[in-house]
């Protein structure tokens, strides 16, 4: 029998499996309904030999040295600094919107004066979330804030979330703040790198332990039961008295007793093109044009020198539990109303000492890869 059963082979599940197996000598079973490990960070070679990210572009960045050191046990890295352009009014300008974007889009005298005002008001190098910039009482800066809001945020956010920026948590648009700087990078973190052999290899190295068993292609509901009255658990029809670590949808585990939590899904359209390079940067955002939000070209990430190139377009869509084309919950939707529902789920789950919830879906948090690795390491330190 297993000491711990983990649902989900993404970073939340893989880190905890690795820690429990190697540091506590536990026998661990990891179950995932997909046919592969890695969760949404899974990458693989497409039929043309390009290393693609199956569930959308993943760029590792962190300021957390312990996370970087932990992951470095399982991979070598290639330095990589992510840059994104947005297609605005027929031009491609840096995003997050910065002083270079300002000068590309506005006439010189106006841009010069706005630059000075921004630096005087906030300081050079400072990042200001767009919703905060819009509350400013200065007429010229308010013009700029509205300009950025209209050109960069409002239509992209409508596509991505089906909502206005002010109708979702400020944390969401706050991820891409206006940057009063000439630094064109998407992230400023100290550690930014691509795993030298891809993300999936990290997961293989983490999970390839004698104490870890994998059960893929298996929805947990088919093999695992939790009695939500008594907290008793069953695995394959036998009582399971160990710990459950759950990284899937919290509302699914708790049988939707407080109603469904809403998620946003995406359709990824991959195309292989007979050209060396399709676009000048890894990712180009299209806030105002087309139905997709962004195009990513993978060879910029993989640095492969093979002929042809593969790109992916991201089309946001509603999550539909029973529609196989729309049933991947890529993003929890962060609104006040959903937060209240989530809190009911989280407090209900607290009564079960034998269940640990961790992960982007289980906790309904906008965790990046480094956040979830840090969180899983913290859970391991605190609870095991
Ligand atoms: P997941 O990776 O989602 O793993 C959860 C696992 O649980 C999945 O494998 C799933 O199949 C399994 N599961 C769910 N339900 C069941 C069930 N019923 N039965 C069995 N198994 C089940 N982070 C970055 O740091 N940089 C980026 O550039 C970046 N880009 C992203 C782009 C996109 C489009 C998305 C959606 C996310 C991105 N992220 C990025 C975030 C990153 O994907 C997450 O931080 C990470 O995947 C979270 O790990 P997790 O283990 O919590 O969840
Ligand atoms: N966003 C936007 N325009 C952009 C880039 C981002 O409006 O050009 C907003 C949008 O609401 C998006 C959020 O900022 O969902 C966070 O962007 P990020 O690139 O972090 O999203 P992710 O990579 O997680 O999908």
């Amino acid at each position: 029998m297993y000491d711990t059963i983990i649902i989900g082979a993404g970073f939340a599940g893989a880190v905890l499996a690795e820690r429990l197996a190697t540091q506590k000598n536990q026998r661990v079973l990891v179950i995932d309904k997909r046919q592969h490990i890695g969760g949404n960070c899974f990458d693989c070679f497409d039929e043309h030999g390009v290393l693609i990210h199956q569930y959308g572009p993943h760029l590792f960045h962190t300021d957390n040295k312990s996370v970087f050191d932990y992951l470095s046990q399982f991979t070598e890295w290639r330095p990589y600094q992510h840059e994104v352009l947005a297609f605005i009014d027929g031009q491609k300008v840096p995003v997050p919107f910065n002083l270079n974007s300002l000068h590309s889009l506005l006439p010189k005298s106006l841009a010069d004066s706005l630059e000075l005002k921004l630096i005087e008001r906030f300081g050079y190098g400072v990042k200001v979330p767009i919703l905060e910039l819009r509350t400013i009482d200065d007429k010229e800066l308010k013009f700029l804030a509205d300009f950025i809001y209209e050109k960069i945020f409002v239509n992209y956010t409508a596509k991505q979330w089906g909502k206005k920026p002010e109708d979702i948590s400020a944390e969401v648009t706050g991820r891409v703040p206006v940057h009063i700087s000439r630094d064109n990078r998407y992230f400023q973190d100290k550690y930014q790198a691509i795993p030298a052999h891809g993300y999936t290899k990290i997961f293989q190295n983490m999970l390839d332990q004698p104490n870890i068993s994998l059960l893929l292609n298996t929805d947990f509901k088919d093999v695992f039961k939790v009695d939500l009255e008594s907290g008793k658990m069953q695995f394959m029809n036998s009582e399971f008295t160990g710990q459950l670590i759950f990284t899937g949808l919290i509302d699914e585990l708790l049988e939707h007793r407080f109603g469904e939590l809403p998620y946003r899904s995406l359709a990824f359209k991959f195309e292989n093109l007979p050209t060396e390079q399709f676009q000048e940067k890894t990712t180009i955002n299209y806030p105002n044009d087309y139905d997709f939000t962004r195009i990513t070209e993978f060879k910029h990430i993989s640095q492969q020198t093979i002929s042809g190139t593969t790109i992916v377009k991201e089309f946001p869509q509603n999550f539909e539990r029973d529609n196989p084309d729309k049933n991947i919950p890529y993003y929890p939707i962060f609104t006040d109303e959903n937060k209240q529902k989530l809190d009911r789920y989280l407090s209900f789950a607290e009564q079960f000492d034998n269940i640990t919830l961790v992960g982007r879906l289980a906790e309904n948090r906008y965790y990046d890869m480094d956040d979830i690795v840090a969180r899983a390491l913290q859970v391991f330190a605190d609870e095991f």
Side-chain angles (χ1 to χ4, degrees):
M1 222 347 145
Y2 302 104
D3 299 301
T4 298
I5 292 181
I6 299 181
I7 312 297
F11 264 126
V15 169
L16 280 157
E18 186 279 326
R19 289 288 87 184
L20 289 168
T22 65
Q23 307 301 305
K24 301 284 175 185
N25 199 25
Q26 283 202 11
R27 284 157 304 164
V28 180
L29 174 69
V30 181
I31 300 174
D32 202 297
K33 66 179 176 188
R34 290 174 176 166
Q35 58 198 8
H36 57 74
I37 56 176
N40 283 342
C41 306
F42 174 75
D43 56 10
C44 61
F45 292 95
D46 70 7
E47 58 185 356
H48 309 280
V50 179
L51 183 61
I52 58 161
H53 299 178
Q54 181 96 45
Y55 305 99
H58 278 71
L59 294 315
F60 183 80
H61 59 100
T62 191
D63 274 326
N64 187 327
K65 183 175 183 323
S66 49
V67 165
F68 190 70
D69 288 346
Y70 171 75
L71 290 176
S72 300
Q73 297 175 77
F74 309 104
T75 187
E76 291 158 10
W77 301 95
R78 197 159 16 80
Y80 169 89
Q81 302 279 331
H82 192 46
E83 287 186 31
V84 175
L85 300 175
F87 183 72
I88 308 288
D89 294 348
Q91 290 192 68
K92 290 176 184 163
V93 304
V95 174
F97 191 97
N98 65 20
L99 297 177
N100 293 328
S101 325
L102 173 69
H103 283 274
S104 298
L105 290 175
L106 292 175
K108 185 170 183 329
S109 58
L110 180 56
D112 283 344
S113 131
L114 287 167
E115 172 170 346
L116 271 181
K117 277 207 154 181
L118 282 170
I119 294 170
E120 269 169 23
R121 178 87 180 225
F122 297 100
Y124 187 81
V126 170
K127 295 178 178 177
V128 189
I130 184 62
L131 294 178
E132 188 185 320
L133 194 62
R134 285 193 92 207
T135 61
I136 213 144
D137 51 14
D138 179 280
K139 205 172 149 208
E140 265 192 85
L141 288 181
K142 178 78 168 75
F143 159 80
L144 177 64
D146 289 347
F147 178 82
I148 299 170
Y149 177 86
E150 293 295 334
K151 299 289 183 187
I152 304 276
F153 286 97
V154 75
N155 295 325
Y156 188 111
T157 302
K159 278 194 266 190
Q160 177 74 4
W161 300 97
K163 295 192 184 303
K164 289 196 178 135
E166 51 275 27
D167 294 336
I168 42 173
S169 161
E171 183 198 352
V172 173
T173 47
R175 288 168 58 88
V176 190
V178 174
H179 193 188
I180 304 168
S181 163
R182 300 231 175 228
D183 183 344
N184 286 341
R185 295 172 302 162
Y186 207 64
F187 313 110
Q188 274 67 43
D189 303 58
K190 184 163 176 184
Y191 305 97
Q192 303 192 42
I194 298 295
H197 308 290
Y199 290 99
T200 303
K201 193 73 191 159
I202 299 186
F203 289 89
Q204 286 167 353
N205 290 338
M206 290 171 93
L207 294 172
D208 186 13
Q209 314 284 350
N211 273 350
I212 299 179
S213 307
L214 284 177
L215 185 57
L216 299 177
N217 263 318
T218 306
D219 192 308
F220 84 92
K221 295 190 291 304
D222 295 336
V223 290
F224 201 92
K225 303 257 175 307
V226 184
D227 180 338
L228 296 180
E229 299 306 318
S230 64
K232 289 205 163 135
M233 304 194 286
Q234 279 197 337
F235 173 59
M236 301 277 212
N237 297 321
S238 300
E239 190 178 4
F240 174 67
T241 53
Q243 190 71 17
L244 173 71
I245 296 176
F246 185 79
T247 79
L249 298 163
I250 182 174
D251 52 333
E252 187 172 57
L253 176 70
L254 301 179
E255 297 169 359
H256 304 114
R257 61 193 298 123
F258 305 119
E260 299 201 355
L261 286 167
Y263 302 90
R264 194 75 174 151
S265 192
L266 294 169
F268 292 104
K269 188 163 178 282
F270 291 86
E271 292 169 41
N272 186 267
L273 305 164
T275 174
E276 287 311 296
Q277 183 178 297
F278 173 76
Q279 61 190 25
E280 56 273 55
K281 297 287 178 196
T282 306
T283 298
I284 314 261
N285 290 0
Y286 290 85
N288 310 311
D289 306 271
Y290 311 109
D291 291 338
F292 48 84
T293 48
R294 56 188 178 188
I295 301 182
T296 295
E297 183 176 20
F298 290 102
K299 273 170 74 178
H300 290 283
I301 305 174
S302 67
Q303 302 277 304
Q304 288 167 285
T305 49
I306 53 174
S307 61
T309 191
T310 301
I311 61 169
V312 68
K313 296 176 180 157
E314 295 178 44
F315 295 85
Q317 56 185 7
N318 283 331
F319 168 71
E320 292 175 21
R321 214 169 285 281
D322 299 320
N323 180 341
D325 295 327
K326 300 184 173 184
N327 68 356
I328 301 186
Y330 287 101
Y331 301 85
I333 299 181
F334 306 96
T335 61
D336 290 344
E337 187 195 339
N338 302 337
K339 173 84 174 63
Q340 283 177 16
K341 206 185 269 183
L342 170 67
D343 287 344
R344 297 184 73 192
Y345 276 110
L346 292 174
S347 26
F348 183 81
E350 266 174 23
Q351 67 183 292
F352 305 114
D353 292 340
N354 52 355
I355 300 179
T356 305
L357 295 171
V358 49
R360 181 154 151 137
L361 300 172
E363 298 176 86
N364 251 250
R365 298 279 300 270
Y366 207 144
Y367 285 136
D368 280 331
M369 290 184 278
D370 62 327
D371 300 321
I372 192 56
V373 172
R375 166 84 179 128
L377 291 173
Q378 193 61 50
V379 167
F380 174 73
D382 291 348
E383 297 182 27
F384 293 93

